[in-house]
Amino acid sequence: MSSDSENSFEIPEKLSIDPIYKTNWCDMSAEIKRECIGKMEFKERLSLRCTAKAERSLIDSQKIKFHKGEFWAESDDRFDAVLYSENGNKFSKCLDGGPKTLANKAFEFVKYIWKVGVFENLQISFFVPVYEAKLKDYTGEISAKNVYLEYCDADMVLSIIQKLNDDVESIMTNPGLGGLPDIDSDEFLAIPQIQNVPYWHIANYSKTNSLHKVAQMWIDKNSKIGSTFQVYTFDDGSFQEFLEHCKDRIVSKSKKRVRIRTNNPDRHILLERGFVRIEGAPQYFRLMVIHSEMEESKYDNNCKAWIRKIDPEYYNV
Amino acid sequence: MSSTEQGTSSAAPAEPTTAPESAAAPEVPESFYYVHGKDKVVHKVSAGALQHSALIHGMISNLGYTEEQAKANPFPFENIDGDILQMVVDWCNQHKGKPTPPEDTNLPKQKEKLFDLVLAVNYLEIKELLTYCCKQVAMMVKGKSPEEIREIWMIPTDAEDEAAEKEAKKRAGKEAAGETAAAAGDAK
């Protein structure tokens, strides 16, 4: 039982010294404002950002998550961006004007979004060469989980990949009908983001040396089980080149698959070919780091799903 | 001091039981604490409801005093308006021991009350309620232009801010000069 003296406990200091509250946004602490800003959609953040300097710096210090961000600069005189929030709300921005002014204006906007945005999915389609120099000068990071680079030329692709955050989970490049003739596999493989990404693919790649070079990089880096690389090409020779370069490591081979050992006894690398029975279709390949104890009966015999991922044109219907 | 009682559903004393001693332990009666705001109106709140407030929970977790002692020592929150504290107490009672829903539509819509509630909830460290309140604050400016936001939230323009800052500096300078003059006069 408590004594009488214990009955008179002291009021903690925090209770007695605080001021009487006021009721105005400007009287809120930065911490509370940030909490409220965190609940706002992008459009409202932009509006609040325009009210005063103090609000602007607060907004700019806060990251915002987007489910998806799409950026297109497909011609000299037009730029489009669409941002989808986690709640499914859509924010669109379309800019037009003279080539030089437009590129400056558009890239200022892009830089801002990349600075504050954290993307689940990010698609960049920059056709116009004027953005290349701007990308090279951009020193910030692009924070995204799944990145899709479409119709960007070789230097732009490399430039963007180098700016991705380290924990990017997939990098997908689709240069369109023109392909990516200028990038050698070594240029890709020298980029740390490519070395560490769990999934990446190159659509319409004209080099036939990518498979064995990726396999060698994985062997050198002792890459994780599950690491996957996909490529499709209209040129012959990729499968043969892989066989020749990896002949000393072959565990098993067939028309469809080659399995090789790595320096780590726990890990093998499996190369699979996907066949599409349509005239003029390219050759599809998937390369994966697998567990060395994986049985052949566990192989995935349905190549449609993984082909669809790199080339939705086929098997999408 | 006036008194209102909230959440008075204290558990009835456990009925004597004929079950063997090894059966479930008898229910411990719920303990209550008392809080008051600026208006000095005392609210009786169960320990279970107060668990939502990390501040109060932290304060009472090691006190272990009797209900009489707690009644004699209500927690004073002089910085919180009575009606705001009432809202907080009601919310804590409604959500006592329950998982909090993703939305709470019963929060005040008026700007002043909502901001007061935000500040009180932040002070009392009631995380879930703070989340609801901040969502509600964000909703106030949904679809609004910068001008409209400035008006709704009374945000001064940069020019107004600078003018106010200059004025404050001027005033501070004058006050300092006055103090120096007074000190010089005293010295003479």
Side-chain angles (χ1 to χ4, degrees), chain A residues 63-104:
Chain A
K63 291 279 183 189
I64 178 165
K65 286 185 182 172
F66 293 109
H67 171 68
K68 191 173 184 188
E70 298 171 339
F71 300 89
W72 295 284
E74 294 181 349
S75 64
D76 277 346
D77 55 0
R78 191 184 160 105
F79 171 86
D80 290 279
V82 182
L83 303 166
Y84 298 88
S85 76
E86 286 189 309
N87 300 328
N89 292 319
K90 185 175 160 183
F91 174 89
S92 308
K93 181 126 184 151
C94 172
L95 297 170
D96 49 24
K100 211 170 178 185
T101 335
L102 171 65
N104 288 337

Side-chain angles (χ1 to χ4, degrees), chain A residues 41 45-46 55 60 78 120 126 129-130 140 147 182 223 279:
Chain A
E41 291 284 344
R45 292 189 196 203
L46 283 187
E55 308 303 333
D60 292 354
R78 191 184 160 105
E120 182 75 18
F126 284 167
V130 69
V147 180
D182 303 329
S223 293
E279 199 180 336

Side-chain angles (χ1 to χ4, degrees), chain A residues 16-64:
Chain A
S16 56
I17 58 166
D18 279 5
I20 302 296
Y21 290 137
K22 289 181 182 170
T23 53
N24 194 319
W25 171 257
C26 297
D27 295 312
M28 301 278 151
S29 67
E31 185 196 349
I32 295 180
K33 281 184 177 182
R34 276 198 200 97
E35 186 80 28
C36 297
I37 291 166
K39 310 279 181 257
M40 285 179 200
E41 291 284 344
F42 184 64
K43 189 174 172 232
E44 282 73 36
R45 292 189 196 203
L46 283 187
S47 292
L48 179 59
R49 188 178 183 269
C50 294
T51 58
K53 272 185 201 163
E55 308 303 333
R56 188 189 312 156
S57 59
L58 207 58
I59 298 270
D60 292 354
S61 69
Q62 188 102 328
K63 291 279 183 189
I64 178 165

Side-chain angles (χ1 to χ4, degrees), chain A residues 258-292:
Chain A
V258 184
R259 182 167 173 160
I260 62 168
R261 69 180 69 84
T262 68
N263 298 337
N264 182 338
D266 287 342
R267 291 166 201 186
H268 283 173
I269 291 172
L270 181 69
L271 171 63
E272 296 172 290
R273 293 175 86 157
F275 291 101
V276 175
R277 300 188 194 287
I278 297 172
E279 199 180 336
Q283 299 176 38
Y284 298 93
F285 298 100
R286 178 168 74 163
L287 200 60
M288 286 174 83
V289 181
I290 59 169
H291 201 286
S292 56

Side-chain angles (χ1 to χ4, degrees), chain B residues 17-26:
Chain B
T17 174
T18 51
E21 277 185 19
S22 59

Side-chain angles (χ1 to χ4, degrees), chain A residues 118-156:
Chain A
V118 177
F119 298 90
E120 182 75 18
N121 301 289
L122 175 65
Q123 180 177 335
I124 302 171
S125 308
F126 284 167
F127 273 101
V128 191
V130 69
Y131 289 94
E132 193 180 315
K134 295 186 178 301
L135 270 166
K136 275 191 178 153
D137 292 343
Y138 176 66
T139 52
E141 189 181 75
I142 304 171
S143 184
K145 205 187 246 185
N146 306 298
V147 180
Y148 187 65
L149 307 174
E150 195 180 34
Y151 307 119
C152 299
D153 81 7
D155 287 337
M156 272 195 213

Side-chain angles (χ1 to χ4, degrees), chain B residues 45-75:
Chain B
V45 202
S46 71
L50 283 178
Q51 279 202 339
H52 283 291
S53 164
L55 174 74
I56 303 177
H57 183 65
M59 282 157 54
I60 63 177
S61 57
N62 293 318
L63 288 178
Y65 49 50
T66 62
E67 189 152 350
E68 289 72 36
Q69 288 168 323
K71 202 168 189 174
N73 297 288
F75 291 113

